[in-house]
Amino acid sequence: MSFDLYRLPRFPLANLPTPLQEASRLREALGGPAKCPRILIKRDDLTGLAFGGNKVRKLEMLVGDALVRGADTLITTGAVQSNHARATAAAAVVAGLRAILVLESADMCPPVQGNLLLDRLLQADVRFVPKDGDTAKAMETVADEVRAAGGNPYVIPIGGSSPSGAAGYLTMTLELKVQLAAMGASPSRLYFASGSRGTQAGIVLGARVFDMPYEIYGVLVSKSRPETEARALSIANEAAELVGSDVRLNSADLANVDGYFGEAYAIPTPEGDAAVLLLARTEAIFLDPTYTGKSMSALIDHIQTGQLGPDETVVFIHTGGTPAIFAHADRLSELAKA
Ligand SMILES: *Cc1c(COP(=O)(O)O)cnc(C)c1O
């Protein structure tokens, strides 16, 4: 299968490869080898730039593209505790660009902590907009403002989920292939947290391009919408085109695991919080309540309900989100006492 990841402009930001780590204490806590599959954690929380996470891989390609186009300002959007917005602010610093972050918030003066504190330290220009508004339109208004001042803006969609962003995530699968071969492991499933779907597009496309053995379990962290589903598919297929691959996906390739995000995006669940504590106490790995805690709670549930056998191997992608735990300090510290 032909493809060429290196024909895309790429601005180095990440510390790669990230480790693939055996979670044997977690496995022990979940019943040991008699009950629980072998669990390997791909540490994409350790991509390096400004507390890492999955967005750093996407931003290597996005910033590469922005620089080729002569941009001087990155504009993006997300929630107040957006990991993607923080990673974009960090990428802008390293690439010598300005960052303007359009952050959705119910509160026009939210507490400066977690990712928002990092945005401030990184000197990003933060603009708050009301929740559930049209953030794409708000970014266009900001882009017009930059152009009117003689600048050249580069607008990055929410989550960095564009064809080049997804192509950036192909590097994860390439590393995983090499690491699994070195361990002699052939996982039956791969779990990760799925939000704006660029990561999913990259993972699903990567699995096809690199002929990976596993089934893919993208655990939804928010309510699925038909337009997001359609977008995931076009992102994946445009990413394939970008790297010169003739692989094409259909919507069945992009199925998701529903039922683990609770009430809504960024509203914690008891099971997600329990996963945050369990990983801290077994592996000294920090998950977050919005993404990785919820996706880990799906994996734990699938193990506990016998959907996965002890002879299997699973990969869990730790997509990052670590700074957000500080925005949940009160609740998590109460839970930690119990
Ligand atoms: C953004 C994010 C995800 C989801 O990635 P998408 O490409 O938006 O689906 C998962 N985990 C963490 C920690 C994130 O910040």
Side-chain angles (χ1 to χ4, degrees):
M1 224 170 269
S2 107
F3 74 96
D4 184 6
L5 204 49
Y6 302 101
R7 71 189 215 174
L8 293 179
R10 179 172 171 195
F11 185 81
L13 294 168
N15 228 329
L16 303 178
T18 59
L20 180 65
Q21 186 175 330
E22 181 97 45
S24 47
R25 285 163 302 261
L26 174 64
R27 187 183 197 188
E28 213 47 60
L30 295 172
K35 280 195 182 143
C36 178
R38 181 182 187 192
I39 303 170
L40 303 174
I41 302 184
K42 177 68 171 159
R43 299 291 306 274
D44 265 13
D45 55 321
L46 302 180
T47 49
L49 178 74
F51 293 93
N54 61 341
K55 304 308 180 313
V56 179
R57 290 188 192 270
K58 296 178 177 184
L59 283 160
E60 289 199 330
M61 298 301 192
L62 290 163
V63 172
D65 191 41
L67 292 173
V68 162
R69 291 167 196 271
D72 55 20
T73 306
L74 303 178
I75 301 172
T76 199
T77 189
V80 174
Q81 284 298 329
S82 168
N83 300 302
H84 165 66
R86 174 254 309 161
T88 301
V93 168
V94 174
L97 305 170
R98 273 181 76 208
I100 307 180
L101 309 177
V102 176
L103 303 183
E104 277 193 292
S105 180
D107 175 357
M108 286 302 115
C109 198
V112 180
Q113 53 177 304
N115 282 306
L116 183 58
L117 171 62
L118 302 178
D119 297 340
R120 296 286 190 209
L121 295 176
L122 293 161
Q123 215 175 13
D125 178 349
V126 177
R127 316 278 181 91
F128 295 113
V129 295
K131 263 181 107 155
D132 304 319
D134 187 345
T135 51
K137 199 168 154 217
M139 286 197 291
E140 274 317 314
T141 306
V142 172
D144 286 341
E145 174 200 312
V146 170
R147 278 187 285 263
N152 185 4
Y154 185 86
V155 176
I156 300 175
I158 189 158
S161 289
S162 71
S164 15
Y169 215 72
L170 288 171
T171 58
M172 191 288 292
T173 308
L174 189 54
E175 290 169 24
L176 192 57
K177 187 166 180 91
V178 174
Q179 290 168 324
L180 290 170
M183 283 180 156
S186 182
S188 54
R189 296 187 183 192
L190 174 139
Y191 285 77
F192 68 100
S194 192
S196 65
R197 311 295 176 85
T199 302
Q200 180 177 30
I203 285 176
V204 173
L205 181 61
R208 285 279 282 281
V209 168
F210 301 115
D211 196 20
M212 302 302 278
Y214 42 70
E215 269 187 76
I216 295 163
Y217 287 74
V219 181
L220 290 177
V221 299
S222 58
K223 200 161 172 239
S224 181
R225 284 183 296 181
E227 59 269 29
T228 322
E229 307 275 334
R231 206 171 143 62
L233 190 59
S234 67
I235 290 170
N237 286 330
E238 282 174 52
E241 245 173 81
L242 280 181
V243 297
S245 161
D246 50 19
V247 169
R248 291 296 176 270
L249 305 175
N250 59 53
S251 53
D253 299 318
L254 295 162
N256 284 112
V257 180
D258 204 347
Y260 295 93
F261 64 81
E263 235 174 277
Y265 174 76
I267 309 273
T269 60
E271 296 79 11
D273 282 349
V276 172
L277 290 187
L278 182 63
L279 266 286
R281 289 164 184 199
T282 53
E283 300 292 340
I285 290 175
F286 295 114
L287 302 181
D288 75 293
T290 301
Y291 293 97
T292 52
K294 287 179 179 178
S295 54
M296 180 56 86
S297 79
L299 170 56
I300 292 171
D301 185 51
H302 288 185
I303 292 168
Q304 289 176 335
T305 54
Q307 295 179 49
L308 269 155
D311 297 333
E312 292 179 58
T313 297
V314 292
V315 173
F316 176 82
I317 312 287
H318 188 332
T319 44
T322 317
I325 61 174
F326 300 103
H328 296 265
D330 292 347
R331 193 186 72 263
L332 291 176
S333 61
E334 274 311 306
L335 288 171
K337 281 188 211 155

